Amino acid sequence: MLHQNGDWKLLAEQISVVCKRRSQFTNAVKRAVKISMEWLDGLKDDKENHDTLLTALLGVTEGKIYVEVERARLTMRKSMGKEEEGDVAEASKILQELQIETFGSMVKKEKCEFLLEQMRLCLLNMDFIRCGLVRNKITTKAIREFPVLERKYWQLSLRLFYNKGKQYLEMARGYRRMLDLYGEGEREQKLTMLANAVCTVILAERDPEQQTLLHTMNNSPPSEEIGKLLESLARPLV
């Protein structure tokens, strides 16, 4: 009834009262949170009431493991709102509060999406140390299950490697991996990735792995022109 009448302030208060009762059943809380989250989508153009309901839902989900996924999604929504307002630092701070890697009920793909969003906001906030820490939480095995997310992962990683001491060898590895992530119909992108990989491996400090990576790229060029580029750039190293 409160929802139908549009009394969002009173509705938010009642949700808090109902969900915080000691004797309240878990399923009842989960149901109330789920329904209320659906209402949030209809309040995108009503910021005041949207934020009122969002704050109430964040309050009732705090500390409840059985709604940890819902709380994570609500936190993401709050973070996005702060970013839209231009407060990137606060948006990043809000999202960093989530220890997503510990959420046992969240599916692997959504975990990766949250961690990538944490990485993106850290980069926008020029917090490269924290970005590196978040990146370390994403395992190679997990991210490779989702090619679209892996492409985003390497795009963010490349920005991190460049800004955190110009780690050219790490950048070369990233560009080389992205080469494999583009399909046969994305020829221009593949050429760009391989050219970038070659240039960054040349800029890297002399190292046995540098030589190995360069020769690996030389063995599988996607075109004759890139093969010639590899040959000309590799000459000083051999």
Side-chain angles (χ1 to χ4, degrees):
M1 185 178 296
L2 292 173
H3 168 243
Q4 293 175 346
N5 293 334
D7 194 341
W8 297 103
K9 184 176 181 180
L10 183 56
L11 176 62
E13 292 174 357
Q14 289 303 307
I15 289 173
S16 298
V17 171
V18 170
C19 292
K20 289 183 178 181
R21 287 176 182 169
R22 288 188 178 183
S23 59
Q24 191 58 269
F25 291 111
T26 297
N27 287 338
V29 176
K30 291 175 70 173
R31 179 67 175 164
V33 170
K34 182 179 179 180
I35 293 174
S36 300
M37 287 178 68
E38 294 174 356
W39 293 336
L40 280 173
D41 292 330
L43 292 172
K44 291 180 179 179
D45 298 326
D46 187 348
K47 187 178 185 305
E48 182 178 354
N49 286 322
H50 176 278
D51 290 351
T52 297
L53 183 57
L54 177 59
T55 299
L57 289 173
L58 284 169
V60 301
T61 56
E62 185 176 4
K64 296 182 175 66
I65 296 178
Y66 55 87
V67 284
E68 63 181 3
V69 174
E70 288 79 5
R71 179 171 176 78
R73 292 169 183 166
L74 290 166
T75 304
M76 173 74 85
R77 186 185 287 266
K78 183 178 180 180
S79 174
M80 291 171 62
K82 288 297 180 181
E83 185 179 5
E84 289 174 0
E85 294 173 6
D87 194 346
V88 176
E90 185 62 20
S92 181
K93 180 181 178 181
I94 289 170
L95 206 59
Q96 300 309 319
E97 294 175 358
L98 294 174
Q99 300 298 316
I100 291 295
E101 66 279 5
T102 66
F103 285 23
S105 57
M106 181 177 283
V107 297
K108 193 183 298 183
K109 183 178 180 181
E110 190 169 9
K111 277 187 181 181
C112 289
E113 290 172 338
F114 268 89
L115 291 169
L116 289 174
E117 185 64 9
Q118 287 181 338
M119 281 184 67
R120 186 186 70 83
L121 288 172
C122 283
L123 287 171
L124 286 177
N125 205 35
M126 307 292 282
D127 190 349
F128 304 123
I129 294 177
R130 188 179 295 275
C131 183
L133 293 174
V134 173
R135 182 182 182 275
N136 291 338
K137 297 176 183 179
I138 305 174
T139 65
T140 302
K141 181 180 179 181
I143 199 66
R144 287 195 174 187
E145 293 182 26
F146 315 105
V148 174
L149 295 183
E150 188 183 359
R151 190 181 295 188
K152 182 177 180 180
Y153 166 79
W154 282 112
Q155 289 170 342
L156 295 171
S157 296
L158 287 164
R159 289 170 57 189
L160 173 64
F161 295 149
Y162 180 79
N163 285 284
K164 194 178 178 182
K166 293 183 173 58
Q167 302 173 39
Y168 290 118
L169 191 58
E170 293 295 332
M171 291 176 68
R173 290 196 196 97
Y175 282 124
R176 178 62 186 87
R177 176 56 188 161
M178 288 192 71
L179 171 65
D180 295 332
L181 293 174
Y182 284 102
E184 293 301 322
E186 299 173 296
R187 181 175 177 275
E188 290 300 319
Q189 290 90 335
K190 289 178 77 71
L191 295 179
T192 299
M193 292 304 105
L194 186 50
N196 288 345
V198 173
C199 291
T200 48
V201 78
I202 294 297
L203 289 170
E205 293 184 9
R206 192 174 182 87
D207 183 275
E209 192 171 351
Q210 178 196 45
Q211 297 268 356
T212 301
L213 184 57
L214 186 60
H215 287 299
T216 299
M217 290 185 285
N218 195 26
N219 290 332
S220 56
S223 68
E224 291 184 2
E225 56 264 39
I226 288 296
K228 293 177 181 178
L229 173 64
L230 285 166
E231 183 181 349
S232 64
L233 290 175
R235 195 170 297 126
L237 294 177
V238 295

